[in-house]
Amino acid sequence: MSKQLSKTCPNCGKLNSIHESYCTNCGHKLPVSSEKTVGYTRPQSKRQAMIVFAILGLALFLGVVGISIRQNQEILRTSSINAIPFKVEFFDHHNHQVMVRYLKGETRKSRNGYATGTLKVMTTMKHGHGQSVSYVDSRAAKSLVINSSPKMTFYYNHRYGKFNDYGKCKVSGQPTIKRFRMIKMD
């Protein structure tokens, strides 16, 4: 069963829209159609279109702001240390490399701006043997303290968004060490 989309004028034979009452060619009265309109929609008003665009624009704006806020929040240094081992190079005040250690996370408990856990501190990545130690990573103190022998304290001023892999540090028993660089081993 096909739907009627047009009416034929009985006087002149012209095809007219199903919504016309009189022929657009000769003006003769067209027969009344019992068919309902198919495929016809009333155009949206400009106001409705503006409301839709305003809502879409607001959603886009809020999404961009949300991503920006998330990218600009301070992150913890140990946010990915349990998944990926890190190589840490230590330097003196002349930027000469003094020591290298590898860090591999074992456990991590995180709260708002604060993380604790255990990790291995190794002198080489080849064998995977190392000292299992605890650590405290604090946004408020802006430091990561690894309770190894020697004890290592890493400081960061501002670490927003992406991982900042260098900064100042202290290593107990090693007064010449002033800076570090962390490198992901992935």
Side-chain angles (χ1 to χ4, degrees):
M1 181 172 151
S2 66
K3 301 284 183 183
Q4 184 179 1
L5 299 176
S6 62
K7 297 181 199 177
T8 305
C9 177
N11 186 38
C12 69
K14 169 130 169 93
L15 287 176
N16 291 276
S17 168
I18 195 165
H19 307 291
E20 300 292 335
S21 298
Y22 295 91
C23 179
T24 56
N25 186 39
C26 68
H28 189 268
K29 184 161 175 73
L30 296 173
V32 178
S33 173
S34 62
E35 295 286 327
K36 292 190 176 183
T37 304
V38 177
Y40 177 79
T41 58
R42 207 171 97 213
Q44 285 186 340
S45 71
K46 288 183 181 180
R47 183 175 178 190
Q48 287 175 326
M50 292 300 291
I51 290 171
V52 168
F53 283 121
I55 290 171
L56 290 174
L58 181 63
L60 179 64
F61 175 75
L62 292 175
V64 168
V65 167
I67 290 170
S68 176
I69 288 171
R70 184 179 175 137
Q71 288 294 321
N72 289 322
Q73 287 183 345
E74 288 190 20
I75 58 173
L76 296 171
R77 188 164 297 283
T78 56
S79 58
S80 61
I81 207 163
N82 279 15
I84 304 167
F86 283 82
K87 176 182 179 182
V88 184
E89 298 173 338
F90 295 91
F91 301 92
D92 63 13
H93 61 281
H94 297 296
N95 285 333
H96 294 113
Q97 187 174 333
V98 176
M99 181 172 76
V100 175
R101 292 291 182 267
Y102 296 89
L103 306 177
K104 185 176 181 188
E106 293 180 338
T107 64
R108 181 174 188 264
K109 294 178 185 175
S110 181
R111 295 187 195 125
N112 275 345
Y114 178 73
T116 59
T118 59
L119 54 81
K120 280 189 177 179
V121 178
M122 302 168 285
T123 55
T124 178
M125 278 295 293
K126 290 181 182 175
H127 302 296
H129 302 293
Q131 181 184 35
S132 288
V133 297
S134 65
Y135 68 83
V136 176
D137 190 354
S138 171
R139 240 187 249 158
K142 295 185 178 183
S143 66
L144 164 63
V145 178
I146 298 177
N147 297 310
S148 61
S149 180
K151 182 177 180 178
M152 297 178 275
T153 306
F154 303 93
Y155 300 100
Y156 46 89
N157 293 329
H158 302 288
R159 286 184 28 258
Y160 296 103
K162 293 185 179 179
F163 186 76
N164 181 10
D165 60 352
Y166 58 90
K168 294 181 180 180
C169 68
K170 282 185 185 176
V171 178
S172 64
Q174 301 275 346
T176 59
I177 294 177
K178 302 292 182 189
R179 292 180 190 84
F180 73 94
R181 179 173 60 191
M182 283 192 184
I183 304 164
K184 290 182 182 181
M185 300 297 293
D186 55 349

